[in-house]
């Protein structure tokens, strides 16, 4: 069984630029999560999808972050414009088993 | 709101020895899951062990076992016969057991475990 796929692995951008991350969950998994993990901290949920609907986006900074899962399969997380404090690892996971991808390390300079 | 606290930022253990990682949590729910995840430098979160709150028996997975004290809201991880490959960040996490749906994970800050050869 293929795992959760994420790309890119690394991204370096300047502040005020935009960036997008992609996630393809395990086949058949209806629930998809995006977590933000700042260095030295545990992951924090940004948004949770059930199929193509949003279950929880209470911690998503909606003035700059957006996410979509149009066909209920893969998902894209976008940041526009990026700030220095957005530097973090962005982890995607899918359920029912809450399996994680390898994450994208974003550095904003 | 649920919270997970890991108060030890770092621990070190000698290879082949036993180490215990501590975790406390706070919730008003009665049915939930607790987890320990391992995160090596590759960044991928790997599930180590899972405990269901309604099960009194402590979960065990090979060299990994937990001490689940529901009344005290404590959930510690014991690693026996530590190996060099056990060196990583370890995160304690909580998930509410929702009927018919999947719930998010709430994580602690993590602990860095080093293993001395």
């Amino acid at each position: 069984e293929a795992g959760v796929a994420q790309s890119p692995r690394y991204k370096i951008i300047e502040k005020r630029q935009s960036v997008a991350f992609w996630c393809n969950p395990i086949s058949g998994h209806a629930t998809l999560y995006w977590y933000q993990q700042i260095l030295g901290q545990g992951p924090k949920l940004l948004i949770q999808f059930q199929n193509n609907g949003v279950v929880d986006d209470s911690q998503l900074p909606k003035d700059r972050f957006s996410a979509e899962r149009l066909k209920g399969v893969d998902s894209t997380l976008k940041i526009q414009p990026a700030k220095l404090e957005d530097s973090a690892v962005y982890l995607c996971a899918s359920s029912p088993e809450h399996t994680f991808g390898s994450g994208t390390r974003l550095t904003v300079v | 709101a649920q919270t997970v606290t890991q108060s030890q930022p770092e621990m070190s253990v000698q290879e082949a020895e036993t180490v215990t990682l501590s975790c406390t949590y706070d919730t008003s729910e009665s049915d939930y899951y607790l987890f320990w995840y391992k995160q090596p430098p590759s960044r991928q979160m790997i599930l180590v062990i899972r405990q269901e709150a309604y099960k009194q028996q402590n979960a065990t997975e090979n060299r990994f076992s937990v001490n689940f004290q529901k009344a005290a809201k404590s959930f510690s991880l014991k690693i026996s016969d530590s190996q060099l490959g056990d060196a990583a960040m370890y995160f304690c996490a909580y998930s509410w057991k929702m009927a018919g749906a999947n719930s998010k994970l709430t994580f602690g800050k993590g602990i860095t475990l080093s293993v001395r050869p």
Side-chain angles (χ1 to χ4, degrees):
Chain A
E1 177 182 76
V4 176
Q6 286 190 250
S7 66
R9 284 277 288 167
Y10 303 91
K11 190 74 177 178
I12 301 175
I13 62 172
E14 295 183 350
K15 59 184 179 182
R16 291 187 290 273
Q17 284 188 327
S18 62
V19 65
F21 313 126
W22 175 82
C23 172
N24 194 24
I26 291 174
S27 178
H29 280 194
T31 308
L32 184 148
Y33 313 83
W34 283 102
Y35 290 87
Q36 180 193 56
Q37 185 179 15
I38 293 173
L39 184 65
Q41 299 183 20
K44 180 188 75 173
L45 181 75
L46 290 175
I47 189 167
Q48 176 181 347
F49 291 96
Q50 181 73 20
N51 297 309
N52 61 352
V54 175
V55 174
D56 183 354
D57 65 354
S58 58
Q59 297 299 305
L60 187 74
K62 298 180 186 62
D63 57 334
R64 298 183 301 106
F65 286 64
S66 65
E68 59 184 16
R69 194 185 184 199
L70 294 176
K71 297 182 179 179
V73 180
D74 58 342
S75 175
T76 302
L77 176 69
K78 296 179 181 177
I79 308 175
Q80 182 179 12
K83 293 185 175 181
L84 296 177
E85 59 260 35
D86 297 332
S87 294
V89 173
Y90 291 85
L91 293 164
C92 180
S94 67
S95 279
E97 291 85 19
H98 232 113
T99 304
F100 283 85
S102 295
T104 297
R105 181 180 296 280
L106 173 68
T107 302
V108 183
V109 297
Chain B
Q2 296 82 20
T3 59
V4 178
T5 302
Q6 294 178 257
S7 56
Q8 308 155 303
E10 297 178 356
M11 286 199 75
S12 181
V13 63
Q14 190 77 34
E15 192 176 7
E17 296 294 310
T18 296
V19 64
T20 299
L21 310 183
S22 301
C23 172
T24 59
Y25 62 94
D26 190 25
T27 182
S28 57
E29 303 295 336
S30 60
D31 202 5
Y32 49 87
Y33 296 104
L34 294 166
F35 307 82
W36 279 98
Y37 280 88
K38 173 184 179 181
Q39 188 178 42
S42 66
R43 300 197 304 263
Q44 187 165 16
M45 285 284 189
I46 301 166
L47 178 64
V48 174
I49 202 164
R50 184 179 88 160
Q51 174 79 42
E52 188 170 349
Y54 260 92
K55 291 187 177 179
Q56 293 185 343
Q57 186 173 7
N58 288 327
T60 299
E61 288 287 344
N62 301 315
R63 298 183 294 109
F64 299 88
S65 61
V66 298
N67 183 3
F68 173 47
Q69 302 288 329
K70 191 173 184 179
K73 295 181 179 174
S74 171
F75 184 61
S76 61
L77 174 70
K78 186 172 79 171
I79 307 174
S80 304
D81 186 24
S82 296
Q83 300 175 0
L84 295 178
D86 294 334
M89 284 282 290
Y90 286 82
F91 290 92
C92 180
Y94 164 100
S95 174
W96 176 36
K97 191 177 181 182
M98 295 170 62
N102 298 305
S103 179
K104 69 177 183 182
L105 292 171
T106 299
F107 287 89
K109 286 189 174 182
I111 178 171
T112 301
L113 178 67
S114 59
V115 181
R116 305 186 302 276

